[in-house]
Amino acid sequence: MSFFAAAGICLAALLVAALVLMSGFGLGTLLTPLFVLFYDIKIAVLLVAIVHFSNNLFKLGLFFRHLDWAILKRFGAISIAGAFVGSLLQAELESETLKIGLGILLVILGIVEFLPPRISWRLPKKLDPLGGFLSGLLGGVLGNQGAVRSAYLLNYSLSKEAFVATATIIACLIDVTRIPIYLMNYHSEIAVAWPYLIATILSAFVGTLIGKWLLDIVTLGAFRRVVAGSVVVVGIAMAMALI
């Protein structure tokens, strides 16, 4: 990878980390296509997962005191099981069919947030385990787990900070589950990538600090619409097999 290519990825990591802190997802989704330009897809997923995990640990340090433990217990544990299954099946599952079906679901869930209150509806909370499992499964298979997680967390009346903290720790649990499995298969291939990884991780940290500043100045209503709109965009892209 040339210096200019590495600089471009670092700049992208900074900008994306700043923009997606509110949505609760997007760093992995948007960085993976850039890494795919220079690495095999499975190596790219691993490298981005390491950036994703490192940045989530940084975010967790900023927002940990706002964590909603009750939702974590309902949603987080089953997401680990999903991530484990997805990581093991990464090479076997037909990902395109999975992405299209999930994309349609995300579009529906995101649009709900924009409906008038009198006709709006929410997913029953008894379906939280399904959302947790799908989030982990998609993280293990594709590295794109965040949109499902954010769509389900919109069911709860969380503060902006609690939403970010809870989404972040669930993402960390998924990353902790899938990264060791990836490393067992591809550890030798990433040895030369560490300088680029460190630079990308530090760039994402700077972007996260900018994103935190943006979070402080938006209203809760605007925050929820940003999350829902992001879910819809990712859903459309998945349904059209663009990501």
Side-chain angles (χ1 to χ4, degrees):
M1 186 186 300
S2 70
F3 170 81
F4 292 105
I9 288 180
C10 288
L11 178 60
L14 186 154
L15 294 174
V16 171
L19 294 173
V20 305
L21 182 136
M22 283 190 285
S23 68
F25 66 94
L27 185 64
T29 302
L30 296 174
L31 285 185
T32 300
L34 293 177
F35 275 83
V36 167
L37 295 175
F38 306 98
Y39 301 97
D40 175 78
I41 178 62
K42 293 179 181 179
I43 304 302
V45 168
L46 169 58
L47 295 176
V48 172
I50 294 172
V51 176
H52 188 261
F53 178 58
S54 302
N55 192 58
N56 277 331
L57 288 179
F58 184 66
K59 283 197 294 184
L60 198 57
L62 296 175
F63 293 97
F64 183 78
R65 68 182 183 277
H66 301 286
L67 178 63
D68 190 306
W69 290 97
I71 295 178
L72 176 62
K73 291 176 183 177
R74 289 176 59 85
F75 196 93
I78 193 66
S79 69
I80 297 176
F84 183 76
V85 172
S87 299
L88 292 177
L89 298 180
Q90 186 194 37
E92 307 296 333
L93 290 179
E94 180 55 56
S95 60
E96 290 304 312
T97 302
L98 192 62
K99 284 198 292 185
I100 291 171
L102 176 64
I104 294 171
L105 175 63
L106 289 176
V107 171
I108 295 171
L109 294 177
I111 288 175
V112 166
E113 188 64 29
F114 295 94
L115 296 176
R118 58 187 175 84
I119 61 173
S120 185
W121 55 273
R122 298 291 180 195
L123 286 171
K125 291 183 172 57
K126 64 183 180 181
L127 294 181
D128 283 359
L130 176 61
F133 184 80
L134 285 176
S135 176
L137 182 71
L138 266 293
V141 176
L142 304 171
N144 297 327
Q145 80 271 22
V148 177
R149 180 177 60 246
S150 290
Y152 270 81
L153 290 180
L154 282 172
N155 279 324
Y156 295 89
S157 299
L158 295 171
S159 69
K160 298 177 293 182
E161 294 79 9
F163 185 103
V164 172
T166 307
T168 297
I169 197 168
I170 294 171
C172 285
L173 292 174
I174 293 172
D175 285 340
V176 165
T177 303
R178 65 188 177 120
I179 288 175
I181 297 174
Y182 295 161
L183 285 172
M184 285 191 296
N185 296 321
Y186 311 120
H187 59 90
S188 61
E189 288 90 339
I190 68 167
V192 297
W194 284 109
Y196 306 121
L197 268 180
I198 293 172
T200 306
I201 289 168
L202 293 176
S203 299
F205 286 177
V206 175
T208 293
L209 292 174
I210 296 172
K212 184 178 184 298
W213 172 76
L214 293 173
L215 183 70
D216 291 338
I217 64 177
V218 301
T219 65
L220 179 59
F223 170 82
R224 291 180 64 87
R225 287 191 291 274
V226 168
V227 175
S230 301
V231 168
V232 170
V233 169
V234 170
I236 291 172
M238 280 189 171
M240 297 177 66
L242 297 178
I243 61 175

